[in-house]
């Protein structure tokens, strides 16, 4: 049984995340997702919309995911690899060459998969803000029109 491990915040969950998880699972038989806790997100400088518990439930509902464990710090990866007998650690290409992952080559195979272009949480949030602004403008009565 080939065991695959990946890390992330996975918030707001989108198709880029799903594609990453699908391709990670295709590299083995069992996929473990180490999900950043809310506390660790603060350390990463990220603020997730959904809580850890909600993000965990959403990931557990994805057919490619076999186990979700907490990611609480940068230093736990070697222990994770040993404890869960990981054969391959997989990350998206934005982590390629990162010193936060390259040292794992001494403990397991390390594979970076291309990111899914055209989608990101930042883009989703910006698009929603823009939509709100447009909707807000539409509420403003035309000059000279009767107040409704
Ligand atoms: N991802 C992707 N395509 C996107 C967006 C994200 O392939 N359009 C990948 C990322 O490369 C990452 C995974 O999906 O491998 C999860 O993305 P994030 O939740 O943004 O992960 P990140 O905050 O980078 O956390 O210890 C490592 C960190 O926990 C990684």
């Amino acid at each position: 049984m080939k065991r695959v491990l990946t890390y992330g915040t996975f918030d707001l969950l989108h198709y880029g995340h799903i594609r990453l998880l699908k391709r990670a699972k295709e590299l083995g038989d069992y996929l473990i997702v180490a999900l950043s806790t809310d506390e660790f997100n603060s350390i990463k400088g990220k603020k997730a919309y959904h809580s850890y518990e909600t993000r965990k439930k959403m990931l557990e509902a994805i057919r490619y995911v076999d186990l979700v464990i907490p990611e609480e710090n940068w230093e736990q990866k070697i222990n994770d690899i040993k404890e869960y007998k990981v054969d391959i650690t997989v990350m998206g290409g934005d982590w390629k060459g990162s010193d936060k992952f390259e040292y794992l080559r001494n403990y397991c195979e390390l594979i970076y998969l291309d990111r899914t272009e055209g989608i990101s949480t930042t883009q989703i949030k910006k698009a929603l803000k823009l939509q709100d602004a447009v909707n807000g403008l539409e509420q403003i009565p035309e000059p000279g029109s009767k107040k409704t």
Side-chain angles (χ1 to χ4, degrees), residues 14-130:
H14 58 64
Y15 181 61
H17 297 136
I18 303 296
R19 269 196 78 236
L20 186 283
L21 295 170
K22 180 176 188 296
R23 288 174 295 156
K25 180 60 177 282
E26 286 165 354
L27 291 170
D29 311 288
Y30 190 87
L31 175 60
I32 301 157
V33 178
L35 181 62
S36 308
T37 60
D38 299 329
E39 296 74 14
F40 183 52
N41 272 331
S42 307
I43 295 170
K44 291 196 316 187
K46 276 194 161 183
K47 175 89 182 73
Y49 177 80
H50 292 301
S51 69
Y52 171 80
E53 282 311 317
T54 299
R55 290 182 284 122
K56 181 171 188 282
K57 286 192 184 84
M58 290 170 78
L59 283 174
E60 287 169 340
I62 298 170
R63 70 174 66 178
Y64 311 118
V65 176
D66 296 289
L67 177 66
V68 178
I69 62 172
E71 180 190 26
E72 298 170 297
N73 56 63
W74 293 113
E75 298 77 25
Q76 71 182 69
K77 296 186 176 68
I78 295 173
N79 289 337
D80 293 341
I81 289 165
K82 290 177 179 171
E83 182 176 346
Y84 294 97
K85 300 177 178 53
V86 169
D87 300 290
I88 311 171
T89 295
V90 173
M91 288 303 288
D94 45 318
W95 287 94
K96 194 167 191 150
S98 164
D99 60 5
K100 299 227 180 315
F101 284 92
E102 283 301 309
Y103 71 98
L104 299 180
R105 291 186 191 283
N106 299 314
Y107 303 92
C108 67
E109 197 178 343
L110 179 61
I111 293 177
Y112 299 105
L113 298 172
D114 291 348
R115 268 177 73 90
T116 302
E117 293 313 321
I119 184 140
S120 70
T121 303
T122 308
Q123 279 174 279
I124 294 169
K125 289 178 178 174
K126 275 184 186 158
L128 291 173
K129 277 199 186 104
L130 190 59

